[in-house]
Amino acid sequence: MGTLIRIAFRNVVRHKARTIISALVMTFGIAVFIFFDSALKGMDRITIDTMIDFSSSSVKLRTPGYKADERAFPLDKGVPDADAAADRVESTLRGSRATARGRFIGSLSNWTDEIPVAVTAVDPRRDGSVFPVGGHMASGSWLSASDGAANALVLGSELALELGVKVGDLIVISAQTAWENRNADEFSVVGIVNLPDPLINRGGAFVSRQAADRLLGSAGFATEIDVALPKATALERTLADAADAAASLGKTFPALDADPIGVLAEGYLAMRNMKSKFSSIMIFMVLLIAGVGIANTILMSMYSRIREIGVLRAYGMTPRDIKRLFTFEGLIIGLFGGTCGVALGCALNWFMVEYGVSLDALIGKMDLGEIPLGGTLHGEWSLSTIVFAFAFGIVVAWISASVPARRASKLEVTNALRFV
Amino acid sequence: MSILTLEKLRKVYLKGDNKVVALDGVDLVIEKGEFLAVVGPSGSGKTTMLNIVGCLDSPTEGRVFYNGSELRAMKEKELSGYRKSHISFIFQSFNLIPVLTVLENVELPLVIERKLKPAEIRRKAVEMIAAVGLEGKENRFPRELSGGQEQRVAIARALVKDPFVVLADEPTANLDSRTAEEIVEIMKRINAERRTTFIFSTHDRLVMGHARRIVTLRDGSIVSDERR
Ligand SMILES: Nc1ncnc2c1ncn2[C@@H]1O[C@H](COP(=O)(O)OP(=O)(O)OP(=O)(O)O)[C@@H](O)[C@H]1O
Ligand SMILES: [Mg+2]
């Protein structure tokens, strides 16, 4: 065995150019594999974090009736006693923060144009502890507790642009009330937000729940309780924590449905799985090419050493030994390519983790539909991906070397010895 | 006692629809310690005979006995097992393993055999390298040697495991006549010292002159068998 490996190793070293070329493809495949996986995980992280921070929160409590009718924005299927419920969430889950929000359809008018949007009614005293929207003001300020008494409005940056309003301007919001008639009132724009979530920039309008009550004729209007959990470092952990919290809240509030971020982001996660399937296929192709390269190299190696095979067989090596000899050669190339691939992949990944890639520069103003994606993309380290990529590369090398190695083992000794 | 007996050996190759009779009823008894040359014109069946004796090929008809026991209908695995312990080869084009050093090349048959400990293998190989006059060249690679030196390494490789028989198919054909003579002399000396049986084929009259028995083949049959 030792001698077989020695012969294989020296042959690999002896034909440096051939070895390097076939190892290079393997290196490239594995490096890209590691890098892509990291980028995808980073994108997931941005997307999920953005959803948690600005729209979904970690766990959302709603009545089953509201959920069933969600698209109609019903006013009569909200969470009763929402403030007490939020308090109860915070005392049930250690370290959590909760706030009540209400959503209704309102028509925003600047006296020339009218734009229907889903207005979010928030509790200015607690909303900031769940949704850090106030940290992303383009101008003006976020709703304050004292704004409750006045009709104050915060708009998404693009919506404000579309309506042609700035901080200090007035907007009329008209809406269907809880009593089935329409009501309208003037709101003054106190702030404009620019969030990493383009959906909110395009259609976000925030008022206080008190103002909403005045407009809609309701009392304590709230359609959902949003819960923030302590931040976890790994995405998988974030999803698991939210699922656990939702399960426990489901028990505390039997009349409400508790949905964790994993469920709220279902659409995105499904798309991400497709995306990662697609990139897996791509990587698979690259490694397949690497495999063909290795197979070809071993075949060349075999043809240039047919007489040597004859000698080894004449001296009593079995066909199995010959097969091993050439398989080792492929494995050594794979090991070399794989190690370089892991090194290169980690180097690229280190750069992406440390410095990140600006997505705004990368995808510009590309419309990604429902998916909030922006800011700087940072990679994520994943040991399992690195180990998997390496192991997969070795397996590919092994399988592709086996084919010509098998052929070498089947040569007739007398023919091999006569070969010139 | 005869170390090797060939009985009515026939070998027929099928080349498409053509039958080529390479050996046509060869009978031969070889004693231990013989130094035997197989001669004859090209295509007369020398290589074919050596291959069958060396268990690299099996005869179409006839029988081969080693030390009185027949090697018949052996599977490839058993044949290579037999070669591993009892038969050695020297080739026309030396056929050393280019990526192994002189020492590693000579150790190879014992490494393949897997009977001895590494230290013992090393000791035997070093001794054999000295016996062919190449001490000091243990760590050279084949490409750093002359043809004659390479063939001496091949002789050391063939003898390191104490085989029943060493088969050499035209061992001097790639060497100039002076080196050829040197090589035959080394083979002859080892044959005398160790009583190792040598069977070699050759076209070279000078080399033939060293043989103590010359078997002449023509069209696959033995036409003369002279002892000297
Ligand atoms: N594998 C084979 N297939 C078909 N015919 C073969 C094969 N090997 C040898 N022969 C034929 O058998 C005959 C004997 O060949 P062999 O190689 O034994 O002769 P030789 O005496 O060694 O010749 P040379 O002196 O040229 O080496 C020749 O006619 C050759 O063409
Ligand atoms: Mg021949």
Side-chain angles (χ1 to χ4, degrees), chain A residues 11 34 40 55 69-70 177 182 199 213 242-243 250 255 265 294 330 344 351 391 399-401:
Chain A
N11 273 302
I34 292 171
L40 280 181
S55 55
D69 208 12
E70 194 178 2
T177 70
R182 284 196 82 81
L199 277 184
D213 278 341
I294 289 178
L344 179 65
F351 184 83
I399 293 172
S400 25

PDB file of all heavy atoms in Angstrom, chain A residues 11 34 40 55 69-70 177 182 199 213 242-243 250 255 265 294 330 344 351 391 399-401:
ATOM      1  N   ASN A  11       4.284  10.097  -9.425  1.00  0.00           N
ATOM      2  CA  ASN A  11       3.818  10.340 -10.787  1.00  0.00           C
ATOM      3  C   ASN A  11       3.045  11.641 -10.880  1.00  0.00           C
ATOM      4  O   ASN A  11       3.142  12.370 -11.863  1.00  0.00           O
ATOM      5  CB  ASN A  11       2.961   9.177 -11.267  1.00  0.00           C
ATOM      6  CG  ASN A  11       3.810   8.087 -11.891  1.00  0.00           C
ATOM      7  OD1 ASN A  11       4.537   8.340 -12.841  1.00  0.00           O
ATOM      8  ND2 ASN A  11       3.753   6.903 -11.321  1.00  0.00           N
ATOM      9  N   ILE A  34     -18.002  27.211  -1.924  1.00  0.00           N
ATOM     10  CA  ILE A  34     -17.949  27.796  -0.585  1.00  0.00           C
ATOM     11  C   ILE A  34     -18.415  29.252  -0.610  1.00  0.00           C
ATOM     12  O   ILE A  34     -19.211  29.684   0.216  1.00  0.00           O
ATOM     13  CB  ILE A  34     -16.512  27.693  -0.022  1.00  0.00           C
ATOM     14  CG1 ILE A  34     -16.179  26.220   0.231  1.00  0.00           C
ATOM     15  CG2 ILE A  34     -16.352  28.519   1.243  1.00  0.00           C
ATOM     16  CD1 ILE A  34     -14.730  25.971   0.576  1.00  0.00           C
ATOM     17  N   LEU A  40     -25.217  33.189  -0.366  1.00  0.00           N
ATOM     18  CA  LEU A  40     -26.638  32.874  -0.233  1.00  0.00           C
ATOM     19  C   LEU A  40     -27.082  32.977   1.221  1.00  0.00           C
ATOM     20  O   LEU A  40     -28.140  33.529   1.521  1.00  0.00           O
ATOM     21  CB  LEU A  40     -26.911  31.454  -0.740  1.00  0.00           C
ATOM     22  CG  LEU A  40     -27.025  31.301  -2.248  1.00  0.00           C
ATOM     23  CD1 LEU A  40     -27.322  29.858  -2.611  1.00  0.00           C
ATOM     24  CD2 LEU A  40     -28.125  32.207  -2.788  1.00  0.00           C
ATOM     25  N   SER A  55     -40.936  44.470   9.353  1.00  0.00           N
ATOM     26  CA  SER A  55     -42.317  44.131   9.014  1.00  0.00           C
ATOM     27  C   SER A  55     -42.860  42.920   9.770  1.00  0.00           C
ATOM     28  O   SER A  55     -43.942  42.988  10.333  1.00  0.00           O
ATOM     29  CB  SER A  55     -42.455  43.913   7.497  1.00  0.00           C
ATOM     30  OG  SER A  55     -41.540  42.941   7.058  1.00  0.00           O
ATOM     31  N   ASP A  69     -58.782  36.375   6.545  1.00  0.00           N
ATOM     32  CA  ASP A  69     -59.342  37.464   5.743  1.00  0.00           C
ATOM     33  C   ASP A  69     -58.313  38.572   5.514  1.00  0.00           C
ATOM     34  O   ASP A  69     -58.660  39.696   5.191  1.00  0.00           O
ATOM     35  CB  ASP A  69     -60.557  38.028   6.511  1.00  0.00           C
ATOM     36  CG  ASP A  69     -61.571  38.629   5.553  1.00  0.00           C
ATOM     37  OD1 ASP A  69     -61.429  38.390   4.339  1.00  0.00           O
ATOM     38  OD2 ASP A  69     -62.476  39.334   6.036  1.00  0.00           O
ATOM     39  N   GLU A  70     -57.045  38.228   5.698  1.00  0.00           N
ATOM     40  CA  GLU A  70     -55.953  39.200   5.774  1.00  0.00           C
ATOM     41  C   GLU A  70     -55.959  40.235   4.650  1.00  0.00           C
ATOM     42  O   GLU A  70     -55.765  41.420   4.863  1.00  0.00           O
ATOM     43  CB  GLU A  70     -54.639  38.422   5.766  1.00  0.00           C
ATOM     44  CG  GLU A  70     -53.439  39.240   6.166  1.00  0.00           C
ATOM     45  CD  GLU A  70     -52.182  38.359   6.171  1.00  0.00           C
ATOM     46  OE1 GLU A  70     -52.289  37.161   5.821  1.00  0.00           O
ATOM     47  OE2 GLU A  70     -51.123  38.882   6.499  1.00  0.00           O
ATOM     48  N   THR A 177     -64.601  53.290   7.956  1.00  0.00           N
ATOM     49  CA  THR A 177     -64.542  53.188   9.418  1.00  0.00           C
ATOM     50  C   THR A 177     -65.105  51.867   9.895  1.00  0.00           C
ATOM     51  O   THR A 177     -65.632  51.073   9.105  1.00  0.00           O
ATOM     52  CB  THR A 177     -65.350  54.318  10.090  1.00  0.00           C
ATOM     53  OG1 THR A 177     -66.741  54.057   9.834  1.00  0.00           O
ATOM     54  CG2 THR A 177     -64.961  55.677   9.576  1.00  0.00           C
ATOM     55  N   ARG A 182     -67.395  56.241   5.511  1.00  0.00           N
ATOM     56  CA  ARG A 182     -66.045  56.745   5.270  1.00  0.00           C
ATOM     57  C   ARG A 182     -65.790  57.969   6.118  1.00  0.00           C
ATOM     58  O   ARG A 182     -66.667  58.753   6.414  1.00  0.00           O
ATOM     59  CB  ARG A 182     -65.856  57.092   3.785  1.00  0.00           C
ATOM     60  CG  ARG A 182     -65.680  55.862   2.912  1.00  0.00           C
ATOM     61  CD  ARG A 182     -65.124  56.233   1.544  1.00  0.00           C
ATOM     62  NE  ARG A 182     -63.674  56.405   1.560  1.00  0.00           N
ATOM     63  CZ  ARG A 182     -62.822  55.391   1.507  1.00  0.00           C
ATOM     64  NH1 ARG A 182     -63.267  54.163   1.440  1.00  0.00           N
ATOM     65  NH2 ARG A 182     -61.526  55.617   1.512  1.00  0.00           N
ATOM     66  N   LEU A 199     -40.206  47.665   0.155  1.00  0.00           N
ATOM     67  CA  LEU A 199     -41.669  47.654   0.183  1.00  0.00           C
ATOM     68  C   LEU A 199     -42.214  48.779   1.054  1.00  0.00           C
ATOM     69  O   LEU A 199     -43.197  49.432   0.701  1.00  0.00           O
ATOM     70  CB  LEU A 199     -42.164  46.320   0.747  1.00  0.00           C
ATOM     71  CG  LEU A 199     -42.239  45.165  -0.244  1.00  0.00           C
ATOM     72  CD1 LEU A 199     -42.830  43.949   0.446  1.00  0.00           C
ATOM     73  CD2 LEU A 199     -43.072  45.566  -1.447  1.00  0.00           C
ATOM     74  N   ASP A 213     -57.668  55.332  15.918  1.00  0.00           N
ATOM     75  CA  ASP A 213     -58.953  55.201  16.604  1.00  0.00           C
ATOM     76  C   ASP A 213     -59.868  56.375  16.276  1.00  0.00           C
ATOM     77  O   ASP A 213     -61.063  56.211  16.034  1.00  0.00           O
ATOM     78  CB  ASP A 213     -58.739  55.125  18.126  1.00  0.00           C
ATOM     79  CG  ASP A 213     -58.371  53.703  18.579  1.00  0.00           C
ATOM     80  OD1 ASP A 213     -58.646  52.753  17.800  1.00  0.00           O
ATOM     81  OD2 ASP A 213     -57.805  53.550  19.675  1.00  0.00           O
ATOM     82  N   ALA A 242     -37.404  31.591  17.184  1.00  0.00           N
ATOM     83  CA  ALA A 242     -38.729  32.132  16.884  1.00  0.00           C
ATOM     84  C   ALA A 242     -39.774  31.031  16.930  1.00  0.00           C
ATOM     85  O   ALA A 242     -40.884  31.231  17.447  1.00  0.00           O
ATOM     86  CB  ALA A 242     -38.716  32.815  15.508  1.00  0.00           C
ATOM     87  N   ALA A 243     -39.406  29.863  16.406  1.00  0.00           N
ATOM     88  CA  ALA A 243     -40.356  28.742  16.407  1.00  0.00           C
ATOM     89  C   ALA A 243     -40.693  28.328  17.845  1.00  0.00           C
ATOM     90  O   ALA A 243     -41.861  28.079  18.171  1.00  0.00           O
ATOM     91  CB  ALA A 243     -39.779  27.563  15.624  1.00  0.00           C
ATOM     92  N   GLY A 250     -48.335  30.306  21.668  1.00  0.00           N
ATOM     93  CA  GLY A 250     -49.565  29.643  21.230  1.00  0.00           C
ATOM     94  C   GLY A 250     -50.308  29.052  22.422  1.00  0.00           C
ATOM     95  O   GLY A 250     -51.536  29.041  22.460  1.00  0.00           O
ATOM     96  N   ALA A 255     -56.558  31.768  22.004  1.00  0.00           N
ATOM     97  CA  ALA A 255     -57.481  32.348  21.017  1.00  0.00           C
ATOM     98  C   ALA A 255     -56.754  32.965  19.831  1.00  0.00           C
ATOM     99  O   ALA A 255     -57.370  33.340  18.844  1.00  0.00           O
ATOM    100  CB  ALA A 255     -58.357  33.411  21.690  1.00  0.00           C
ATOM    101  N   ALA A 265     -41.984  34.062   6.636  1.00  0.00           N
ATOM    102  CA  ALA A 265     -41.088  34.244   5.483  1.00  0.00           C
ATOM    103  C   ALA A 265     -41.138  33.056   4.542  1.00  0.00           C
ATOM    104  O   ALA A 265     -40.247  32.851   3.737  1.00  0.00           O
ATOM    105  CB  ALA A 265     -39.658  34.469   5.977  1.00  0.00           C
ATOM    106  N   ILE A 294     -10.011  15.000 -14.371  1.00  0.00           N
ATOM    107  CA  ILE A 294      -9.206  14.033 -13.622  1.00  0.00           C
ATOM    108  C   ILE A 294      -9.216  12.676 -14.327  1.00  0.00           C
ATOM    109  O   ILE A 294      -8.179  12.040 -14.495  1.00  0.00           O
ATOM    110  CB  ILE A 294      -9.717  13.916 -12.172  1.00  0.00           C
ATOM    111  CG1 ILE A 294      -9.362  15.197 -11.418  1.00  0.00           C
ATOM    112  CG2 ILE A 294      -9.118  12.708 -11.472  1.00  0.00           C
ATOM    113  CD1 ILE A 294      -9.858  15.236  -9.996  1.00  0.00           C
ATOM    114  N   GLY A 330      -5.629   9.714  -8.822  1.00  0.00           N
ATOM    115  CA  GLY A 330      -6.758  10.639  -8.927  1.00  0.00           C
ATOM    116  C   GLY A 330      -7.089  11.268  -7.587  1.00  0.00           C
ATOM    117  O   GLY A 330      -7.378  12.468  -7.507  1.00  0.00           O
ATOM    118  N   LEU A 344      -8.717  28.771  -1.113  1.00  0.00           N
ATOM    119  CA  LEU A 344      -9.167  29.911  -1.918  1.00  0.00           C
ATOM    120  C   LEU A 344     -10.575  30.339  -1.503  1.00  0.00           C
ATOM    121  O   LEU A 344     -10.860  31.540  -1.343  1.00  0.00           O
ATOM    122  CB  LEU A 344      -9.138  29.530  -3.403  1.00  0.00           C
ATOM    123  CG  LEU A 344      -9.591  30.597  -4.387  1.00  0.00           C
ATOM    124  CD1 LEU A 344      -8.641  31.786  -4.350  1.00  0.00           C
ATOM    125  CD2 LEU A 344      -9.662  30.035  -5.805  1.00  0.00           C
ATOM    126  N   PHE A 351     -12.888  37.623   3.020  1.00  0.00           N
ATOM    127  CA  PHE A 351     -13.054  38.973   2.496  1.00  0.00           C
ATOM    128  C   PHE A 351     -14.520  39.383   2.558  1.00  0.00           C
ATOM    129  O   PHE A 351     -14.860  40.488   2.977  1.00  0.00           O
ATOM    130  CB  PHE A 351     -12.550  39.011   1.051  1.00  0.00           C
ATOM    131  CG  PHE A 351     -12.576  40.380   0.450  1.00  0.00           C
ATOM    132  CD1 PHE A 351     -11.538  41.269   0.693  1.00  0.00           C
ATOM    133  CD2 PHE A 351     -13.634  40.781  -0.339  1.00  0.00           C
ATOM    134  CE1 PHE A 351     -11.567  42.538   0.156  1.00  0.00           C
ATOM    135  CE2 PHE A 351     -13.664  42.048  -0.880  1.00  0.00           C
ATOM    136  CZ  PHE A 351     -12.626  42.929  -0.628  1.00  0.00           C
ATOM    137  N   ALA A 391     -15.331  17.155   0.851  1.00  0.00           N
ATOM    138  CA  ALA A 391     -15.637  15.731   0.747  1.00  0.00           C
ATOM    139  C   ALA A 391     -16.233  15.406  -0.619  1.00  0.00           C
ATOM    140  O   ALA A 391     -15.881  14.405  -1.251  1.00  0.00           O
ATOM    141  CB  ALA A 391     -16.603  15.319   1.855  1.00  0.00           C
ATOM    142  N   ILE A 399     -14.371   8.854  -7.872  1.00  0.00           N
ATOM    143  CA  ILE A 399     -15.195   8.191  -8.872  1.00  0.00           C
ATOM    144  C   ILE A 399     -14.601   8.361 -10.258  1.00  0.00           C
ATOM    145  O   ILE A 399     -14.527   7.410 -11.034  1.00  0.00           O
ATOM    146  CB  ILE A 399     -16.644   8.732  -8.816  1.00  0.00           C
ATOM    147  CG1 ILE A 399     -17.292   8.310  -7.502  1.00  0.00           C
ATOM    148  CG2 ILE A 399     -17.454   8.229  -9.999  1.00  0.00           C
ATOM    149  CD1 ILE A 399     -18.639   8.940  -7.250  1.00  0.00           C
ATOM    150  N   SER A 400     -14.122   9.588 -10.556  1.00  0.00           N
ATOM    151  CA  SER A 400     -13.632   9.782 -11.923  1.00  0.00           C
ATOM    152  C   SER A 400     -12.311   9.077 -12.156  1.00  0.00           C
ATOM    153  O   SER A 400     -12.006   8.717 -13.284  1.00  0.00           O
ATOM    154  CB  SER A 400     -13.547  11.262 -12.303  1.00  0.00           C
ATOM    155  OG  SER A 400     -13.411  12.059 -11.187  1.00  0.00           O
ATOM    156  N   ALA A 401     -11.529   8.856 -11.101  1.00  0.00           N
ATOM    157  CA  ALA A 401     -10.281   8.109 -11.290  1.00  0.00           C
ATOM    158  C   ALA A 401     -10.559   6.614 -11.407  1.00  0.00           C
ATOM    159  O   ALA A 401      -9.828   5.890 -12.071  1.00  0.00           O
ATOM    160  CB  ALA A 401      -9.325   8.384 -10.139  1.00  0.00           C
TER     161      ALA A 401
END
